[in-house]
Amino acid sequence: MAFLTIIVPVYNKGKYLKGCIESILEQDFRDFELILVNDGSTDNSGQICDESEKTDQRIKVVHQANGGVSSARNKGLAVASGQYISFVDADDTIDKDMHQILIENALESKADISACGVRVIFPHKVIDHQNAPSKTVMNHAEGLRAAILLDLNGGVYNKIYKSSIAKNIRFIGRMYEDVYYVFQAYLSAEKSIYDNRNKYNYIVRDNSVSMSPFSEKYLDVITVSDNILRTVARERPGHLEIAKSRDLVNNLFVINLIFMAGRGNFSREYGIVIKNLKAYKDFVKKSKLIRLKRRVAYQILMKSEGLYHFIMYVYCLVKDSPVVKRYKNN
């Protein structure tokens, strides 16, 4: 039985899959099993998985009919046998010492979850902040707060989880599904640790979901955010203000995408999001968690949608925000 299980959901990633697999096999930490879940790929991804399985006994391949990334990750969880579990996306790579660091930190601090920083690689730039290396050990309340606010990166991929936690949670949905999974994991974790060194390479490609223009599926962001808010209200009311502040930010994010894509093209989706935002009028006035920039943006939106759209677009152009790339793709 391997100490660590690494799960890679695979769907039509033949162009990048070999690089992902190689980065995993070249790790300093060797005691792992790699589960490749081919989710009904129609390119050569399945063949690459099978060929890779023949080259290394640590690799296990599972083929299934296409069910989406959540289904593929859940299948990997069902067959995982490691004491800790991690996830890597099929078009990303990891530094060779990532899992060694995560495991050492987990064992030293007796943590249920161990996370590291993420290097974000866009087609035209790389975000790789080089701060002084630091580790933060968090109790349950601190870890949950960080997870809700996405201080640890909302993705499932830059972390390892104790199997007893990971296998008791399931992925649900099409987008933002990993954010809710991570939230549930930290809801169950008594202790966690975060190492700020960037060891996971999140590669944003022109055809990535995160670079795609707005569509109805982006409402999943709002659904997940609302699920987190409702769960916190029910089970951890002390974190409710934090969850509300995050939900506000998520709704602003989605309405920005709607404006960029053309509000008239998505009137139903716009109505849902703007209704959510209007409900936060008193909260924005009172909460100290809302940054001044977002407070001002919210007030402008409530007074003049046209002015808000203009200012938001100019700001994104100046900051070279990926949201402009989405707009150009539309």
Side-chain angles (χ1 to χ4, degrees):
M1 180 183 295
F3 187 83
L4 172 71
T5 295
I6 304 168
I7 299 171
V8 178
V10 180
Y11 179 71
N12 289 354
K13 298 296 183 181
K15 187 175 180 180
Y16 317 110
L17 183 56
K18 288 183 179 180
C20 173
I21 294 173
E22 288 174 2
S23 76
I24 294 173
L25 297 179
E26 291 172 358
Q27 289 178 97
D28 295 330
F29 185 79
R30 310 298 295 172
D31 187 10
F32 65 85
E33 63 175 359
L34 170 56
I35 299 177
L36 303 173
V37 183
N38 176 35
D39 187 41
S41 297
T42 57
D43 66 356
N44 64 336
S45 294
Q47 181 181 350
I48 294 174
C49 289
D50 290 336
E51 291 174 352
S52 299
E53 186 178 30
K54 297 174 183 177
T55 66
D56 196 306
Q57 61 181 3
R58 294 172 297 176
I59 299 178
K60 301 176 182 178
V61 177
V62 178
H63 296 280
Q64 67 173 30
N66 180 248
V69 65
S70 290
S71 173
R73 287 179 177 147
N74 288 338
K75 184 64 175 181
L77 284 169
V79 299
S81 63
Q83 296 180 46
Y84 281 86
I85 293 175
S86 74
F87 302 88
V88 177
D89 285 352
D91 54 352
D92 292 336
T93 63
I94 60 175
D95 288 1
K96 65 181 300 184
D97 58 350
M98 187 184 90
H99 282 117
Q100 184 71 45
I101 289 171
L102 291 177
I103 289 169
E104 288 179 354
N105 288 344
L107 295 179
E108 289 175 5
S109 62
K110 298 181 180 180
D112 299 313
I113 304 174
S114 177
C116 67
V118 176
R119 182 181 299 109
V120 184
I121 304 173
F122 290 96
H124 60 298
K125 65 178 179 180
V126 177
I127 300 177
D128 188 12
H129 300 299
Q130 297 295 326
N131 299 319
S134 67
K135 300 178 186 179
T136 305
V137 178
M138 295 170 284
N139 61 26
H140 171 74
E142 293 166 338
L144 184 59
R145 175 190 174 92
I148 294 172
L149 294 177
L150 306 187
D151 290 343
L152 312 171
N153 186 287
V156 72
Y157 39 72
N158 63 321
K159 306 168 180 74
I160 62 171
Y161 313 79
K162 274 190 176 178
S163 179
S164 57
I165 289 177
K167 291 176 74 69
N168 283 324
I169 308 172
R170 287 294 176 266
F171 289 91
I172 303 172
R174 300 168 295 177
M175 293 188 68
Y176 226 51
E177 75 292 331
D178 52 345
V179 172
Y180 192 59
Y181 183 94
V182 170
F183 162 74
Q184 290 180 295
Y186 278 89
L187 189 63
S188 300
E190 291 301 318
K191 183 187 288 188
S192 59
I193 184 169
Y194 175 68
D195 189 316
N196 72 342
R197 288 176 288 179
N198 296 331
K199 294 298 176 180
Y200 188 94
N201 300 305
Y202 181 81
I203 305 174
V204 182
R205 308 179 194 277
D206 287 333
N207 61 347
S208 296
V209 173
S210 57
M211 292 292 283
S212 62
F214 181 83
S215 65
E216 182 270 339
K217 65 185 178 183
Y218 272 94
L219 287 185
D220 281 7
V221 175
I222 304 303
T223 300
V224 169
S225 186
D226 185 63
N227 286 340
I228 290 175
L229 185 62
R230 292 174 183 274
T231 302
V232 168
R234 183 176 63 252
E235 300 184 24
R236 299 292 188 277
H239 285 68
L240 187 56
E241 185 180 6
I242 300 168
K244 285 184 175 181
S245 69
R246 188 71 237 170
D247 186 56
L248 171 67
V249 171
N250 289 334
N251 277 275
L252 285 172
F253 164 73
V254 174
I255 209 160
N256 286 349
L257 292 182
I258 293 175
F259 274 127
M260 289 300 223
R263 171 187 164 184
N265 298 323
F266 300 97
S267 56
R268 183 186 74 85
E269 292 81 1
Y270 175 83
I272 293 172
V273 182
I274 197 67
K275 180 179 179 181
N276 291 344
L277 286 168
K278 286 181 177 179
Y280 276 110
K281 184 177 181 179
D282 291 337
F283 179 79
V284 171
K285 290 180 180 179
K286 298 176 181 179
S287 177
K288 295 180 180 180
L289 295 178
I290 308 302
R291 297 178 182 176
L292 178 61
K293 179 178 71 175
R294 291 199 176 104
R295 192 184 305 274
V296 172
Y298 178 87
Q299 292 170 345
I300 293 174
L301 175 61
M302 292 298 104
K303 291 180 179 179
S304 173
E305 296 172 6
L307 179 60
Y308 176 85
H309 185 185
F310 174 77
I311 294 175
M312 182 266 295
Y313 184 63
V314 172
Y315 175 83
C316 290
L317 282 176
V318 172
K319 292 292 186 178
D320 193 25
S321 171
V323 75
V324 176
K325 185 71 173 180
R326 288 192 182 96
Y327 176 70
K328 292 179 179 178
N329 286 343
N330 197 11

